[in-house]
Amino acid sequence: MNKFVLHQLKEIQRNRHLTVCSRLISWLEREPFLYRLITCDEKWILFDNSRRTGQWSDAGESPEHNPKPPLHLKDLMVALWWSTKDVIHYSFLQQGKTVTATSYCQETDCMHEKLKKKRPRLVNRDGPILLHDNAQLHTSQATVHKLQSLNYEILVHPLYSSDITPTGYHIFKHFELAKCNKTFLNT
């Protein structure tokens, strides 16, 4: 199902959530920083977006046959970087390819160059704060060194927090609705 199911957090996880959220609130009270946020995420785009729906049938009546789509559909991945003001950078990966730490660092360089042109004050004076998930490619040594070399601060946030994934719940949600029941023949 395409619904968020909340995890049952352990006591230690709840305490970590409380600590991190308290720090974020006190930081925001001291210094407004939301305009400095840059966030990124990746999304698979399927070429065939047929929607399988549930059916109502009378007792004893057989439902219509609705076969499952093949497991490995034709797809490609989009990487998207955006701020509170606008989309900074996006790119489509080669078909069948996925994001690695090396490609993530290259995308970071591309995004940083565009950010310097769009929001020079943020890059030169205030410093961007990056909000991304804790995927292995985002926390690899190569990625951490790249972000340090660009003077990016990483926003610490609690794991399993549905409100800390703005790309998935805002941009990609509307994107999914727009491509629902559409089939694309090529890139």
Side-chain angles (χ1 to χ4, degrees), residues 49 172-182 184:
N49 299 285
F172 288 150
K173 175 184 159 193
H174 296 291
F175 182 70
E176 283 294 321
L177 291 172
K179 67 184 185 74
C180 184
N181 287 327
K182 292 190 173 123
F184 305 100

CSV table of all heavy atoms in Angstrom, one decimal, residues 49 172-182 184:
chain,number,residue,atom,x,y,z
A,49,ASN,N,2.4,3.1,-15.7
A,49,ASN,CA,1.8,3.5,-14.4
A,49,ASN,C,0.4,3.0,-14.2
A,49,ASN,O,-0.5,3.8,-13.7
A,49,ASN,CB,1.9,5.0,-14.2
A,49,ASN,CG,3.4,5.4,-14.2
A,49,ASN,OD1,4.1,5.2,-13.3
A,49,ASN,ND2,3.8,6.0,-15.4
A,172,PHE,N,7.0,14.6,-4.9
A,172,PHE,CA,6.8,13.3,-5.5
A,172,PHE,C,5.3,12.8,-5.3
A,172,PHE,O,4.9,12.1,-6.2
A,172,PHE,CB,7.8,12.3,-4.9
A,172,PHE,CG,9.2,12.5,-5.4
A,172,PHE,CD1,10.3,12.1,-4.6
A,172,PHE,CD2,9.4,13.1,-6.7
A,172,PHE,CE1,11.6,12.3,-5.1
A,172,PHE,CE2,10.7,13.3,-7.1
A,172,PHE,CZ,11.8,12.9,-6.3
A,173,LYS,N,4.7,13.2,-4.3
A,173,LYS,CA,3.2,12.9,-4.2
A,173,LYS,C,2.4,13.4,-5.3
A,173,LYS,O,1.6,12.7,-5.9
A,173,LYS,CB,2.7,13.4,-2.8
A,173,LYS,CG,1.2,13.1,-2.6
A,173,LYS,CD,0.8,13.8,-1.3
A,173,LYS,CE,-0.7,14.0,-1.3
A,173,LYS,NZ,-1.1,14.9,-0.2
A,174,HIS,N,2.6,14.7,-5.6
A,174,HIS,CA,1.9,15.3,-6.7
A,174,HIS,C,2.4,14.8,-8.1
A,174,HIS,O,1.6,14.6,-9.0
A,174,HIS,CB,2.1,16.8,-6.7
A,174,HIS,CG,1.5,17.4,-5.5
A,174,HIS,ND1,0.1,17.5,-5.2
A,174,HIS,CD2,2.0,18.0,-4.4
A,174,HIS,CE1,-0.1,18.0,-4.1
A,174,HIS,NE2,1.0,18.3,-3.5
A,175,PHE,N,3.6,14.4,-8.2
A,175,PHE,CA,4.2,13.8,-9.4
A,175,PHE,C,3.5,12.5,-9.6
A,175,PHE,O,3.1,12.1,-10.8
A,175,PHE,CB,5.7,13.7,-9.2
A,175,PHE,CG,6.4,13.1,-10.4
A,175,PHE,CD1,6.4,13.8,-11.6
A,175,PHE,CD2,6.9,11.8,-10.4
A,175,PHE,CE1,7.1,13.3,-12.7
A,175,PHE,CE2,7.5,11.3,-11.5
A,175,PHE,CZ,7.6,12.0,-12.7
A,176,GLU,N,3.4,11.7,-8.6
A,176,GLU,CA,2.7,10.4,-8.7
A,176,GLU,C,1.2,10.5,-9.2
A,176,GLU,O,0.8,9.8,-10.0
A,176,GLU,CB,2.7,9.6,-7.4
A,176,GLU,CG,4.0,9.0,-7.0
A,176,GLU,CD,4.4,7.9,-7.9
A,176,GLU,OE1,3.5,7.1,-8.3
A,176,GLU,OE2,5.6,7.8,-8.2
A,177,LEU,N,0.5,11.5,-8.6
A,177,LEU,CA,-0.8,11.7,-9.1
A,177,LEU,C,-0.9,12.1,-10.5
A,177,LEU,O,-1.8,11.8,-11.2
A,177,LEU,CB,-1.5,12.8,-8.2
A,177,LEU,CG,-1.7,12.4,-6.7
A,177,LEU,CD1,-2.2,13.6,-5.9
A,177,LEU,CD2,-2.7,11.2,-6.6
A,178,ALA,N,0.0,12.9,-11.0
A,178,ALA,CA,0.0,13.4,-12.3
A,178,ALA,C,0.3,12.3,-13.3
A,178,ALA,O,-0.2,12.3,-14.5
A,178,ALA,CB,1.1,14.6,-12.5
A,179,LYS,N,1.1,11.3,-13.0
A,179,LYS,CA,1.4,10.3,-14.0
A,179,LYS,C,0.6,9.0,-13.8
A,179,LYS,O,0.8,8.1,-14.5
A,179,LYS,CB,2.9,10.0,-13.9
A,179,LYS,CG,3.4,9.3,-12.7
A,179,LYS,CD,4.9,9.2,-12.8
A,179,LYS,CE,5.5,8.4,-11.6
A,179,LYS,NZ,5.2,7.0,-11.6
A,180,CYS,N,-0.4,9.1,-12.9
A,180,CYS,CA,-1.2,7.9,-12.6
A,180,CYS,C,-2.0,7.5,-13.9
A,180,CYS,O,-2.5,8.3,-14.6
A,180,CYS,CB,-2.2,8.2,-11.5
A,180,CYS,SG,-3.2,6.9,-11.0
A,181,ASN,N,-2.0,6.2,-14.2
A,181,ASN,CA,-2.6,5.6,-15.4
A,181,ASN,C,-2.1,6.1,-16.7
A,181,ASN,O,-2.8,6.1,-17.7
A,181,ASN,CB,-4.1,5.9,-15.3
A,181,ASN,CG,-4.8,5.0,-14.3
A,181,ASN,OD1,-4.4,3.9,-14.0
A,181,ASN,ND2,-5.8,5.5,-13.6
A,182,LYS,N,-0.8,6.5,-16.7
A,182,LYS,CA,-0.2,7.0,-18.0
A,182,LYS,C,0.9,6.0,-18.3
A,182,LYS,O,1.6,5.4,-17.4
A,182,LYS,CB,0.4,8.4,-17.8
A,182,LYS,CG,-0.7,9.4,-17.7
A,182,LYS,CD,-0.1,10.8,-17.8
A,182,LYS,CE,-1.2,11.8,-17.8
A,182,LYS,NZ,-1.2,12.7,-16.8
A,184,PHE,N,4.4,5.7,-20.7
A,184,PHE,CA,5.4,6.4,-21.5
A,184,PHE,C,6.1,5.4,-22.4
A,184,PHE,O,6.5,4.3,-21.9
A,184,PHE,CB,6.3,7.1,-20.6
A,184,PHE,CG,5.7,8.1,-19.7
A,184,PHE,CD1,5.4,7.7,-18.4
A,184,PHE,CD2,5.2,9.3,-20.1
A,184,PHE,CE1,4.8,8.6,-17.5
A,184,PHE,CE2,4.6,10.2,-19.2
A,184,PHE,CZ,4.4,9.8,-17.9
